[in-house]
Amino acid sequence: MSSTSVLPDPSAEPPAFTELGLRPELLAALAGLGYEEPTPIQREAIPPLLSGRDLLGQAATGTGKTAAFALPLLQRMPDDRAGDDPHALVLVPTRELAVQVSEAFHRYGKDLGARVLPIYGGQPIGRQLRALDAGIDVVVATPGRALDHIARGTLRLGNLATVVLDEADEMLDMGFAEDIEAILEHTPEQRQTVLFSATMPARIDGMARAHLTDPVRILIAREQPVAGEAPRVRQSAYLVARAHKPAALGRVLDVESPTAAIVFCRSREEVDRLTETMNGRGYRAEALHGGMSQEQRDRVMGRLRAGTADLLVATDVAARGLDVEQLSHVVNFDVPSAPESYVHRIGRVGRAGREGVAITLAEPREHRMLKTIERVTGQRITIDKIPTVADLRTRRLELTQAALRESLLEDDLDPFRVIVETLSDEFDLMEVALAAVKLAHEATLPGSDEAEEEIPQVAVRPPREGRSAGYEGRGERRPARPRTAGTTQVFIGVGRRAGVRPQDLVGAITGETGVRGRDIGSIEIADRFSLVEVPVTVADEVIAGLRGSTIKGRKATVRRDRDERR
Ligand code: AMP
């Protein structure tokens, strides 16, 4: 087996998408999306996948792994696609991921006319049948539903050139091992097989040995600290849902009040969108990306240095070689696609003994990538709570207080004495001071914080160990307590007699809601009912999702467990 590392020489200029051998239609799609350069995993995976090799890749969400397998797969689709049976099958653990991956295929493959269909449990099967019947090139499916279609004869895999197992560790954790084996049985021997997994436990290795032929291995090999490369900066991360990211960025900037900050985005498109949003929110933001001329870039940098802009929104490519004296904060609007990209980004601050701050806005599902970065850099990233409206108010008052103190120490206040003296005939001195502070506060901080909205906090996932314990002795009635803190149990009125297995419950929950497999804790299956442990924050969503669906063909009673203890 050949093996490569995804940590390339940081001084080497990375290859462009054009050097990876991709066809013009795909390059055009990538340019349209504003992707400026391939991520490390894409650099390593695309060439061997284009040549038809099998591949075993260790990559978590956020590394760009979807494009790493989708682009070669689209390129390898024959132009004269004969017949209607799919050319590629991508197996994913959840409905959420099925939708996400097929959207990615649509985005990259639109000029190639790729026909892509997500199929997952919980969606009416009729629509899937019609689409499969009309002819499909790429099917992105959860294992259970794929197997349903294979059994019905509606998903025929005889023409498959490529099978991708995405987030394989997650699929195994959810109990899909047998389903995957059964599906692979229906695929041609000569297929190309690609396996991506965030972790590489022995079971994944076994699976790779059984189903991959002489694969290229792409692993995050170097886990020692990157000595001397990572500067000493305060590093923190906030977990926030995608939709709330611009608001969270604004809130964090308000509380941190940077001298000047650079915000990194993944694509040109995102740079432009975020710059516009932040300007709309009253920040002085400037965009910087690879599509701009040198003259435009110089102008932007000039404004930042002169202090007429305080926020630079940039892609990695555009920010390469940039050195801004005033920068105090680096913000990753997304978790960077590789640890060394993180190290390069945060290296922009904390130079020459100055204090630097690095902030990362991560979606909960990107939490694992943060851990990888911590491991590689050997430095801690603290997960902080997004400041609340109350925190913001406190901070604003502190700023006003600091400004007043400075004025008391530095300014000539005599010209105002007459006002205080006059007013003090009529009012108490304290009240006069309060009114003056109020006016000063409002004048320095335009925009009332009355209009500020709370940004929903999202929880860090419970540790994996907690949940895998739930799968031991499947179907056994285990002592239910103690439960992990912050979780609750959901009662579902079907159990062993109805043939319910843990994977049916996990499949139904992840299929019907945005909750992911690893968020689900212990599962108990009794004869007539089941109890599933979930984080309190998503319990209502789980209950609503399960009420709207069937489990093993039945509508079941679903509610919070009455016997609940907190
Ligand atoms: P994934 O790790 O596949 O979930 O991808 C993470 C995110 O990165 C997705 O939103 C992609 O659209 C984006 N992305 C993937 N590759 C690139 C790239 N080369 N440049 C910019 N963004 C990318």
Side-chain angles (χ1 to χ4, degrees):
M1 272 188 203
S2 46
S3 172
T4 46
S5 152
V6 292
L7 293 174
D9 173 6
S11 58
E13 193 60 25
F17 275 116
T18 45
E19 291 164 54
L20 297 179
L22 293 170
R23 50 194 286 177
E25 294 90 338
L26 295 173
L27 292 175
L30 295 171
L33 289 168
Y35 291 10
E36 295 194 326
E37 59 177 0
T39 65
I41 196 101
Q42 291 163 4
R43 266 176 242 155
E44 301 292 336
I46 291 174
L49 288 179
L50 283 175
S51 72
R53 295 280 303 269
D54 281 6
L55 184 139
L56 174 63
Q58 180 174 12
T61 297
T63 53
K65 66 179 163 67
T66 313
F69 65 74
L71 294 167
L73 211 144
L74 287 164
Q75 174 136 334
R76 281 163 53 79
M77 237 168 31
D79 282 333
D80 55 339
R81 295 193 286 281
D84 292 332
D85 293 346
H87 182 76
L89 171 69
V90 182
L91 291 176
V92 296
T94 62
R95 166 178 86 161
E96 180 199 31
L97 197 59
V99 170
Q100 227 170 285
V101 168
S102 48
E103 282 172 0
F105 269 100
H106 273 292
R107 281 198 301 272
Y108 306 138
K110 62 178 184 331
D111 291 348
L112 296 173
R115 298 166 300 172
V116 186
L117 179 70
I119 61 179
Y120 46 82
Q123 192 194 36
I125 205 153
R127 199 182 323 149
Q128 296 173 357
L129 290 175
R130 279 193 299 279
L132 282 168
D133 220 34
I136 285 294
D137 300 309
V138 181
V139 170
V140 184
T142 50
R145 187 50 74 95
L147 213 48
D148 274 0
H149 278 286
I150 292 171
R152 287 167 177 250
T154 44
L155 178 59
R156 289 172 299 271
L157 303 181
N159 263 348
L160 277 192
T162 307
V163 174
V164 180
L165 306 173
D166 191 16
E167 305 207 349
D169 51 353
E170 187 90 1
M171 289 200 282
L172 292 190
D173 278 357
M174 288 170 62
F176 283 135
E178 286 165 25
D179 289 359
I180 294 170
E181 296 291 329
I183 293 167
L184 290 176
E185 299 244 309
H186 287 83
T187 63
E189 285 256 325
Q190 291 311 316
R191 62 168 201 264
Q192 175 185 41
T193 313
V194 182
L195 190 160
F196 274 109
S197 185
T199 56
M200 284 289 161
R203 292 178 72 201
I204 294 288
D205 229 37
M207 194 174 198
R209 263 199 300 278
H211 298 293
L212 273 60
T213 312
D214 184 28
V216 177
R217 295 173 78 105
I218 300 181
L219 305 172
I220 298 173
R222 195 162 49 146
E223 293 200 347
Q224 280 84 42
V226 191
E229 282 181 27
R232 291 276 146 209
V233 293
R234 169 159 65 86
Q235 297 172 50
S236 53
Y238 297 94
L239 295 185
V240 57
R242 176 124 216 118
H244 296 294
K245 276 197 174 180
L249 174 62
R251 180 68 49 83
V252 170
L253 291 172
D254 289 347
V255 171
E256 291 276 341
S257 34
T259 324
I262 183 163
V263 182
F264 282 101
C265 294
R266 284 191 175 126
S267 65
R268 287 179 195 181
E269 209 188 16
E270 191 155 68
V271 164
D272 285 336
R273 208 172 24 207
L274 185 62
T275 308
E276 201 171 307
T277 309
M278 294 315 284
N279 279 314
R281 285 172 173 265
Y283 300 87
R284 298 177 308 168
E286 293 278 350
L288 193 71
H289 58 60
M292 294 164 63
S293 69
Q294 191 54 44
E295 201 190 340
Q296 287 173 311
R297 297 168 49 122
D298 290 344
R299 258 204 310 272
V300 167
M301 295 314 296
R303 283 199 282 272
L304 194 74
R305 290 200 177 92
T308 48
D310 33 36
L311 204 60
L312 197 59
V313 185
T315 56
D316 284 295
V317 169
R320 214 159 266 155
L322 194 94
D323 190 10
V324 190
E325 182 76 21
Q326 297 89 330
L327 274 189
S328 57
H329 288 63
V330 167
V331 183
N332 298 304
F333 194 64
D334 299 286
V335 180
S337 60
E340 74 278 10
S341 153
Y342 179 87
V343 171
H344 287 167
R345 287 178 178 185
I346 72 169
R348 300 264 159 39
V349 290
R351 291 185 175 173
R354 274 177 280 130
E355 203 222 343
V357 182
I359 287 162
T360 303
L361 302 182
E363 287 174 64
R365 66 200 177 92
E366 293 170 327
H367 185 234
R368 191 197 294 273
M369 190 63 189
L370 288 177
K371 291 277 157 218
T372 305
I373 292 171
E374 278 190 328
R375 228 174 25 235
V376 173
T377 59
Q379 297 186 4
R380 256 187 76 74
I381 303 174
T382 328
I383 306 263
D384 284 334
K385 279 203 155 59
I386 303 242
T388 59
V389 175
D391 294 334
L392 180 64
R393 283 193 190 128
T394 309
R395 174 70 182 152
R396 286 182 170 169
L397 289 173
E398 279 169 11
L399 289 174
T400 299
Q401 184 175 332
L404 287 171
R405 171 172 287 120
E406 204 175 300
S407 177
L408 282 164
L409 291 172
E410 308 273 330
D411 293 346
D412 173 12
L413 300 172
D414 250 3
F416 306 98
R417 184 174 295 276
V418 55
I419 299 183
V420 178
E421 281 174 355
T422 317
L423 286 172
S424 64
D425 291 343
E426 198 180 339
F427 302 96
D428 184 55
L429 257 186
M430 176 61 117
E431 284 175 52
V432 175
L434 287 175
V437 171
K438 173 176 181 283
L439 289 180
H441 186 71
E442 289 169 354
T444 47
L445 296 163
S448 133
D449 46 26
E450 299 300 314
E452 295 284 347
E453 281 174 28
E454 291 295 0
I455 301 165
Q457 306 279 350
V458 283
V460 188
R461 296 218 157 81
R464 283 178 95 71
E465 299 75 57
R467 72 175 290 273
S468 55
Y471 292 82
E472 283 163 15
R474 243 174 223 177
E476 294 297 306
R477 180 91 172 116
R478 294 179 299 99
R481 323 288 168 202
R483 283 205 314 269
T484 317
T487 66
T488 183
Q489 278 189 309
V490 173
F491 171 96
I492 302 150
V494 285
R496 201 176 298 133
R497 291 216 177 148
V500 171
R501 302 164 306 165
Q503 60 263 45
D504 300 322
L505 298 173
V506 174
I509 293 170
T510 54
E512 290 304 319
T513 66
V515 177
R516 304 238 308 185
R518 65 169 79 103
D519 289 331
I520 300 170
S522 70
I523 297 179
E524 294 168 54
I525 299 184
D527 274 352
R528 294 174 185 280
F529 67 90
S530 310
L531 294 170
V532 180
E533 184 187 47
V534 296
V536 173
T537 45
V538 300
D540 288 339
E541 186 188 353
V542 168
I543 292 167
L546 290 178
R547 280 183 182 157
S549 74
T550 56
I551 298 161
K552 287 274 161 192
R554 295 174 187 226
K555 276 249 169 251
T557 311
V558 183
R559 55 171 164 73
R560 271 182 203 249
D561 187 18
R562 259 193 226 114
D563 172 34
E564 190 165 300
R565 282 176 228 163
R566 284 180 196 250

